[in-house]
Amino acid sequence: MIPTSIEEIFLLAAALFVLLAIMMFYRAVAGPTTQDRLLAVNVLGTNTVVILALLAAGLDEPWFLDIALIYALLNFLMAVAISKFTVERGGVL
Amino acid sequence: MIDAIPMGEQLRFAAIVILVVAGLFFTFVSAVGVLRLPDIYARAHTASQADTLGAGLALAAVALALGWQHATVYTVLLLFFVFITNPTAAHAIARSAAESGITPVTSEPTATDGGERADDGPADSSPNTDGEDGSTGGGGSA
């Protein structure tokens, strides 16, 4: 399958990004430490943001970008909060 | 510029393809690095740099394809947000791993002081000076 239009390029790239995001599940399941799992989920969230942006351009639905922006915010908040929780467990977080 | 609209469209198409392929390449490098590198610090290094660049290139392709719309502003804001927060999150994860006492994998285990650095405190106290090594080694020999 050779893509001919811009929309097909974005959909094909989104499919490949989904495959790369699925590769992250191995590290998220088999990571030896908590920080390995947290890093894998963080990279997976970044890939999800990119997938949502590519789908917004590929399917011509610009409101996907709102979801991508909220997802990026929650992804960063999750990474900082859990990495703070693993250090001072029982404190503020 | 106005006369060469098909030329401009071809150039924009080629730029979008190049940006998407480069983003896929750097994200693939990041995925292989997170799966294959030995410890959390090397994985955080890969995730903070290669993955940020891959996401930035792919979002730049989306912003270039959308043209002049309101959605382009969202995409550029998302690009800057990912560029700022993704290395920050990886740094926070690596810092929490360092303060949890996870020792990095080194090729020479005797060249570093191993787990003593985690017990002594953060790395800014420069524990690998000659004073500590001289005090412990000198106490053993003398």
Side-chain angles (χ1 to χ4, degrees), chain B residues 19-104:
Chain B
L19 283 174
V20 164
V21 170
L24 271 171
F25 172 72
F26 281 107
T27 311
F28 178 71
V29 169
S30 164
V32 171
V34 170
L35 287 189
R36 295 290 297 163
L37 283 176
D39 64 344
I40 175 64
Y41 302 105
R43 287 172 199 147
H45 179 84
T46 301
S48 69
Q49 292 173 354
D51 194 58
T52 304
L53 189 56
L57 289 172
L59 288 174
V62 171
L64 193 58
L66 286 176
W68 291 104
Q69 295 182 19
H70 296 290
T72 311
V73 182
Y74 281 114
T75 311
V76 174
L77 281 177
L78 191 61
L79 197 155
F80 281 122
F81 188 78
V82 167
F83 254 80
I84 292 170
T85 59
N86 205 1
T88 310
H91 174 78
I93 292 167
R95 187 66 177 268
S96 77
E99 295 196 2
S100 299
I102 298 169
T103 59

